[in-house]
């Protein structure tokens, strides 16, 4: 008897997982300084890692060049942030918002999985996890509940 593969949902496209820090006086320079990223081989040698910022926010982002899996992207951030928990705690104590955000294009029928291990590791770091979905530009509007079907 031949076994057929289980129908696997397609994953989110253009997936990124980011540590997002926001608040007054937050920018890429402050993030580089706070986490000592400028001299970090661990960070600079990681393909798909980058620091981005705008007014009042900065991110440490892992993108699809590192992995197309949210789990692997988050695990990479966790390995990097674990030894830097005192810096995370200092940011929160200073009133900054600190979270991990998984973002990507979620098409109808796509799925995103985050393992219990990654969730437990984030809980140990006391970092909330959020999800941001976007749609590709130029796509037609559709029923916002169509993904339920």
């Amino acid at each position: 008897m031949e076994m057929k593969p289980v129908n696997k949902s397609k994953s989110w496209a253009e997936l990124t997982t980011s540590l997002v820090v926001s608040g007054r006086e937050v920018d890429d320079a402050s993030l580089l300084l706070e986490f000592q990223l400028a001299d970090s081989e661990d960070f600079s040698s990681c393909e798909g890692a980058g620091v981005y910022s705008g007014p009042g926010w900065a991110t440490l982002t892992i993108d699809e060049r590192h992995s197309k899996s949210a789990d692997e992207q988050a695990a990479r951030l966790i390995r990097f942030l674990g030894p830097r928990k005192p810096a995370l705690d200092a940011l929160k104590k200073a009133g900054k918002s600190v979270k991990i955000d998984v973002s990507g294009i979620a098409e109808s029928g796509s799925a995103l999985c985050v393992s219990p291990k990654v969730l437990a590791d984030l809980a140990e770091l006391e970092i909330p996890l959020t999800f941001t979905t976007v749609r590709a530009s130029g796509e037609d509007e559709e029923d916002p509940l169509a993904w339920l079907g």
Side-chain angles (χ1 to χ4, degrees):
M1 183 164 142
E2 186 176 324
M3 297 289 289
K4 293 183 181 181
V6 175
N7 185 9
K8 189 175 178 182
S9 298
K10 59 185 172 185
S11 188
W12 287 12
E14 298 181 30
L15 188 68
T16 62
T17 304
S18 304
L19 171 73
V20 181
V21 180
S22 58
R24 294 177 54 122
E25 301 176 9
V26 173
D27 58 17
D28 58 346
S30 66
L31 198 65
L32 288 167
L33 180 64
E34 198 71 41
F35 291 110
Q36 301 171 354
L37 297 175
D39 300 324
S40 171
E41 281 188 42
D42 184 36
F43 176 73
S44 63
S45 66
C46 179
E47 184 178 5
V51 176
Y52 307 94
S53 67
W57 62 269
T59 68
L60 171 57
T61 299
I62 306 292
D63 66 27
E64 289 184 318
R65 289 174 292 159
H66 176 73
S67 172
K68 292 188 182 299
S69 158
D71 228 34
E72 290 177 15
Q73 289 179 5
R76 181 68 186 97
L77 275 176
I78 290 164
R79 281 194 309 275
F80 180 77
L81 295 171
R84 294 167 172 84
K85 186 169 182 340
L88 285 169
D89 293 340
L91 286 168
K92 291 185 265 187
K93 189 173 183 176
K96 308 294 191 257
S97 170
V98 178
K99 65 182 179 180
I100 298 288
D101 185 70
V102 178
S103 65
I105 297 174
E107 298 175 4
S108 181
S110 64
L112 179 76
C113 297
V114 179
S115 71
K117 166 91 171 95
V118 165
L119 294 173
D121 290 346
L122 288 172
E124 279 185 34
L125 289 174
E126 300 175 15
I127 304 174
L129 177 63
T130 62
F131 300 92
T132 303
T133 58
V134 295
R135 65 184 172 91
S137 62
E139 286 188 11
D140 292 334
E141 287 287 331
E142 66 175 66
D143 178 359
L145 300 178
W147 65 274
L148 292 171

